[in-house]
Amino acid sequence: MSAMQKALEASEKLIGTEVGVSNWITVDQAMIDQFAETTHDTQWIHVDPERAAAESPFGGAIAHGFLTLSLASRFAYDCFSMMPGQLMGVNYGMNKVRFLKPVLAGSRLRGRFTLQAVRARGKDKMMRENLMTIEIEGEETPALIAEWLGLAVFED
């Protein structure tokens, strides 16, 4: 039996279970400002904390939704290691992303992953679909939920 087939069988047993919870990471104003500079999205609700506190409904500066989403790779790095025989993992995309709650500057976030589906993609690849929830410490409503697809590539 190939390494991919073994990984597929092992993964099938985990469908519907939580397969990882990441470490917390702080999203501070400096991170938000760097993201704004990189993406050229300098809207005041992100980069002007005083104005955001006075004029926005959020009570302060908030992280970009795409900054929050971009931390998915960091959270996955905390949660997943290479499976036996796996050469690499490739981000395949998202089926669904929903931004549920703004992330205030200074908030701590972490990712939770629940395996939803796995399937073979040829003889040396396995597609994994995880429901990813990015939580905000101390908040009941998560920052976002997403159905994330990853492709695990194995030795032939």
Side-chain angles (χ1 to χ4, degrees):
M1 181 180 295
S2 73
M4 192 282 295
Q5 290 169 320
K6 289 177 185 175
L8 183 64
E9 284 186 11
S11 295
E12 285 172 337
K13 295 174 184 170
L14 298 174
I15 292 173
T17 66
E18 186 172 83
V19 292
V21 179
S22 76
N23 298 316
W24 291 102
I25 185 169
T26 301
V27 177
D28 59 15
Q29 190 61 50
M31 182 187 290
I32 294 168
D33 291 343
Q34 288 173 343
F35 190 84
E37 184 177 331
T38 298
T39 61
H40 302 278
D41 180 354
T42 57
Q43 185 178 21
W44 62 269
I45 62 171
H46 305 302
V47 299
D48 188 339
E50 292 78 24
R51 183 176 177 192
E55 297 180 30
S56 82
F58 310 117
I62 60 170
H64 306 71
F66 286 120
L67 166 55
T68 303
L69 181 61
S70 72
L71 293 171
S73 294
R74 164 57 163 58
F75 298 140
Y77 185 79
D78 287 349
C79 295
F80 302 106
S81 57
M82 300 286 268
M83 295 171 273
Q86 184 180 353
L87 298 173
M88 71 181 95
V90 179
N91 179 4
Y92 198 78
M94 304 276 178
N95 281 340
K96 172 181 160 181
V97 178
R98 297 292 182 266
F99 300 98
L100 303 177
K101 186 169 184 67
V103 174
L104 285 166
S107 296
R108 286 178 12 121
L109 304 179
R110 73 175 173 190
R112 287 188 174 275
F113 298 88
T114 300
L115 186 61
Q116 292 186 302
V118 293
R119 62 187 169 280
R121 298 280 304 227
K123 63 180 182 167
D124 63 347
K125 296 176 193 72
M126 179 177 66
M127 181 75 67
R128 293 173 54 108
E129 179 182 323
N130 282 292
L131 174 64
M132 177 183 62
T133 303
I134 297 182
E135 301 176 322
I136 307 168
E137 187 175 45
E139 297 288 340
E140 192 170 315
T141 302
L144 70 82
I145 58 170
E147 293 174 359
W148 190 7
L149 302 175
L151 193 63
V153 180
F154 292 85
E155 299 168 351
D156 198 5

